[in-house]
Amino acid sequence: MTFDLGVHYRQAYLVDDTDDGLGPDGLPDDHPEHPVGIIRVDDGGAFLVTGLHTGVVGFAVSVADHDPGADTDGYEDIVEVSFRSVAGRLSLHEWGGADEHELPALPAGPGWYRLRYHAQHMDEAAEVDTSDAVIDRYLLQIWPQAESAPRTVKSTSGQLAYWRRPR
């Protein structure tokens, strides 16, 4: 599925659809041994960073029953993390509750999943405070996989390097 995603403060949230699923409360810590920077998981949610501060980004989500493979030709930065879903259903939330995008049901129900976050044009978007035109775009792939260490598949932007720095 593909849609325009409204962002503020470079933020969007993947939320496990439990009764108390609100997503991360602030920016979760990055993994200490394997920092990936632009996606960080916390209980019941994932914090997704965009290059654009405020405006609209292009966003696509793919939910599959197996690893769909990274799109290394179409994106500049690609990172992966593990995520545990309690509900077996996820939604993508815009900052401040502006909008919510329901995602397809997870194929294996509750359990461990892999999140692969692709980013394109983060550096260009980071130079602009606000834009109604789509500058940067993202792809989030989700599939069942046992918990494993986060990893960086591809890293070319200054923004990915910036977000991987210790805070």
Side-chain angles (χ1 to χ4, degrees):
M1 62 188 304
T2 303
F3 48 90
D4 288 340
L5 180 71
V7 297
H8 295 278
Y9 302 101
R10 296 182 169 84
Q11 300 174 23
Y13 317 97
L14 183 68
V15 177
D16 195 36
D17 290 343
T18 60
D19 289 340
D20 59 350
L22 299 174
D25 183 23
L27 179 64
D29 291 333
D30 211 347
H31 193 283
E33 290 93 35
H34 307 285
V36 295
I38 60 173
I39 184 170
R40 299 177 183 190
V41 295
D42 200 1
D43 292 336
F47 187 101
L48 299 111
V49 175
T50 65
L52 185 65
H53 183 279
T54 301
V56 178
V57 300
F59 211 93
V61 177
S62 169
V63 177
D65 61 359
H66 63 283
D67 182 349
D71 184 354
T72 56
D73 293 331
Y75 292 87
E76 297 167 334
D77 299 303
I78 305 170
V79 297
E80 296 180 4
V81 296
S82 291
F83 178 84
R84 189 171 77 78
S85 172
V86 173
R89 296 176 316 277
L90 301 173
S91 54
L92 194 63
H93 293 231
E94 297 179 2
W95 186 85
D99 204 356
E100 181 180 321
H101 305 271
E102 268 190 52
L103 303 182
L106 298 177
W112 282 103
Y113 286 82
R114 194 68 169 173
L115 307 178
R116 183 181 292 132
Y117 191 42
H118 299 65
Q120 180 72 8
H121 302 306
M122 284 187 81
D123 286 344
E124 294 88 341
E127 295 175 9
V128 178
D129 282 337
T130 303
S131 178
D132 291 328
V134 174
I135 300 169
D136 46 342
R137 63 186 180 89
Y138 302 86
L139 167 62
L140 179 64
Q141 296 173 319
I142 305 168
W143 71 94
Q145 181 176 307
E147 183 180 19
S148 58
R151 76 180 189 116
T152 300
V153 176
K154 183 178 179 184
S155 173
T156 62
S157 78
Q159 281 296 298
L160 183 59
Y162 171 82
W163 286 102
R164 289 177 64 187
R165 292 187 337 219
R167 305 242 174 254

